[in-house]
Amino acid sequence: MTAQIPANPASVEDGAAQYVQSLVDHWDELIDWERRKAGEGGFFDALLSGTGARRVLDAAAGTGFHAVTLAEAGYDVTAADGSLAMIEQTARNAAARGVELPTVCADWTELRSHLDGRFDAIVCLGSSFPHLFDAAERATVLREFYEALEPGGVLVLDHRNFDAIRAHRYRSSGNFYYCGGVQVSVAHVDAERCRFRYEFDGEVTHHLEVYPVLADELAGLLRTAGFESVERYGDFRAEFDPHGADFIIQVARKS
Ligand code: SAM
């Protein structure tokens, strides 16, 4: 049996609107950039260089971890996010590391109207895509990503392992993506909503709600959007336990 979602109107906004300034201020504490980098082991750089990508869009930049590390690896990166507070933090983090990259505040549904030209690769990481609750909007956004890619381009989308979470087998090794030792737990999950609770230093508590997309469901949506092939990784490995991985990474290729 699952608990009911507590009544708390301030924390049940959808999408980017959930990223209030006080959560944005704590986001890098949740990540721990050095430990996240170690956990990924250069996965995205190897993947993108393998496709010959040069121009990369981080469509859910957050505080900029992937945009900045990919720019440092030599890619021509544009950072976008639907939250102004988040994208402003990306700009500050990039400047602090001596990285120059364009930052754009843009909702995924109207991405192309904010951007020039097409990209060789789009990344949407850190379990961002599950912020879309509406089925029609999920289809629209995947189509928007598809259209923003060059022929032969690649879309890299990830999500927490909701197959496991919906089976009430949530676990987090703390080794991937969110490595900062912040207490993350599932306050509620059903087929339509998953509510995560984040405890920072036992003092500040935030909640985020997402749509708990299943891995096969997302792969099907990617194919419907037009992608020719979809590969799947668990915690950056091609061979993985489908109920044991913390995060699922899906790589969709445009023909
Ligand atoms: N990629 C970053 C990371 O890994 O740390 C941030 C991940 S955070 C879970 C999700 C991000 O997606 C937030 O920065 C949020 O503002 C953004 N987002 C959610 N819905 C969005 C939408 N409809 N359009 C653009 N950005 C959105």
Side-chain angles (χ1 to χ4, degrees), residues 15-16 19 27 31 36 58-63 66 81-83 86 106-108 125-128 131-132 177-178 208:
Y19 291 86
W27 201 256
I31 292 175
R36 185 191 268 201
D58 184 347
T63 54
H66 287 108
D81 198 284
S83 157
M86 278 296 211
D107 191 274
W108 299 325
L125 302 173
S127 204
S128 297
H131 280 292
L132 298 173
Y177 289 98
Y178 301 113
L208 279 180

Side-chain angles (χ1 to χ4, degrees), residues 145-169:
F145 288 162
Y146 182 88
E147 292 296 343
L149 282 169
E150 296 282 4
V154 64
L155 170 65
V156 190
L157 269 184
D158 68 10
H159 48 95
R160 284 189 187 266
N161 186 348
F162 290 110
D163 289 76
I165 291 171
R166 281 169 61 169
H168 302 284
R169 292 171 62 176

Side-chain angles (χ1 to χ4, degrees), residues 50-157:
T51 69
R54 192 187 63 80
R55 191 163 188 242
V56 177
L57 171 68
D58 184 347
T63 54
F65 174 85
H66 287 108
V68 169
T69 52
L70 289 172
E72 285 172 339
Y75 296 92
D76 173 5
V77 181
T78 298
D81 198 284
S83 157
L84 183 61
M86 278 296 211
I87 203 68
E88 286 179 345
Q89 189 60 43
T90 287
R92 282 192 289 272
N93 283 340
R97 285 164 176 78
V99 168
E100 281 186 31
L101 45 76
T103 54
V104 181
C105 187
D107 191 274
W108 299 325
T109 51
E110 49 188 37
L111 206 49
R112 282 175 300 153
S113 64
H114 292 268
L115 299 167
D116 289 331
R118 288 177 161 177
F119 294 83
D120 303 317
I122 299 177
V123 299
C124 182
L125 302 173
S127 204
S128 297
F129 184 75
H131 280 292
L132 298 173
F133 287 98
D134 183 73
E137 204 173 6
R138 286 193 286 277
T140 301
V141 166
L142 292 182
R143 193 67 202 167
E144 187 72 12
F145 288 162
Y146 182 88
E147 292 296 343
L149 282 169
E150 296 282 4
V154 64
L155 170 65
V156 190
L157 269 184

